[in-house]
């Protein structure tokens, strides 16, 4: 079965598929006073101006020549260039899954500790510990 490489529509036949082309959306950030920024929306495809790469407050870096990391949360691969903008495709999303609340409440922490002790026993080492470099005292 043929799949369009741009819109990923399955079951296409040559000549009958009218692909709209890649759809680009904006990456949406939220700046938190006194804390780091968070990426609220990370679309599959986006564009970024070359001038943004020069902005020292842009919260992005390029670990290599084909990759851009936004706020240490999402990773994009450079797929093209058009009129002063880079075309990007989402590769990795390191943001926490929705619904995870941090920090844990005391009850949740106690529950996790109880499960750990139940599964792994006490806090003693499983294998005997041999102390190295200990001098004998008289």
């Amino acid at each position: 079965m043929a799949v369009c490489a741009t819109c990923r529509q399955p079951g296409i036949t040559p000549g009958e598929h009218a692909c709209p082309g890649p759809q680009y959306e904006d990456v949406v950030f939220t700046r938190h006073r006194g804390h780091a920024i968070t990426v609220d929306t990370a679309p599959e495809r986006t564009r970024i101006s070359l001038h943004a790469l020069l902005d020292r407050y842009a919260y992005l870096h390029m670990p290599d020549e084909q990759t851009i990391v936004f706020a240490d949360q999402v990773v994009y691969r450079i797929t093209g260039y058009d009129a002063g903008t880079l075309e990007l495709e989402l590769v990795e999303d390191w943001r926490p899954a929705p619904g995870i609340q941090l920090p844990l409440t005391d009850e949740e922490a106690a529950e996790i500790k109880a499960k750990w002790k139940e599964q792994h026993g006490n806090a003693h080492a499983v294998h005997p510990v041999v102390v190295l470099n200990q001098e004998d005292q008289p």
Side-chain angles (χ1 to χ4, degrees):
M1 177 187 334
V3 176
C4 178
T6 304
C7 68
R8 296 184 173 87
Q9 178 183 346
I12 62 171
T13 57
E16 293 182 8
H17 179 61
C19 183
Q23 303 298 313
Y24 297 100
E25 299 176 34
D26 291 333
V27 177
V28 179
F29 296 93
T30 298
R31 183 177 298 210
H32 304 277
R33 185 176 209 129
H35 299 286
I37 66 168
T38 57
V39 177
D40 298 326
T41 305
E44 287 293 319
R45 291 187 175 92
T46 189
R47 290 182 177 151
I48 184 171
S49 170
L50 289 177
H51 295 291
L53 297 176
L54 301 174
D55 184 2
R56 68 183 205 179
Y57 300 111
Y59 298 103
L60 55 88
H61 71 279
M62 293 183 69
D64 59 46
E65 64 274 355
Q66 293 296 318
T67 308
I68 298 177
V69 180
F70 288 85
D72 294 329
Q73 296 175 23
V74 291
V75 180
Y76 281 91
R77 179 179 55 240
I78 300 171
T79 58
Y81 173 81
D82 183 34
T85 61
L86 295 174
E87 296 174 351
L88 308 175
E89 183 175 51
L90 184 65
V91 176
E92 293 181 49
D93 191 344
W94 298 332
R95 297 176 295 164
I100 294 178
Q101 69 181 71
L102 297 174
L104 295 174
T105 64
D106 292 336
E107 294 82 22
E108 291 171 332
E111 183 179 330
I112 291 171
K113 286 180 185 178
K115 285 182 183 178
W116 174 266
K117 284 186 178 182
E118 182 181 304
Q119 290 178 351
H120 303 288
N122 58 20
H124 300 291
V126 176
H127 303 286
V129 177
V130 177
V131 178
L132 301 177
N133 298 330
Q134 184 178 13
E135 296 180 19
D136 294 328
Q137 296 182 358

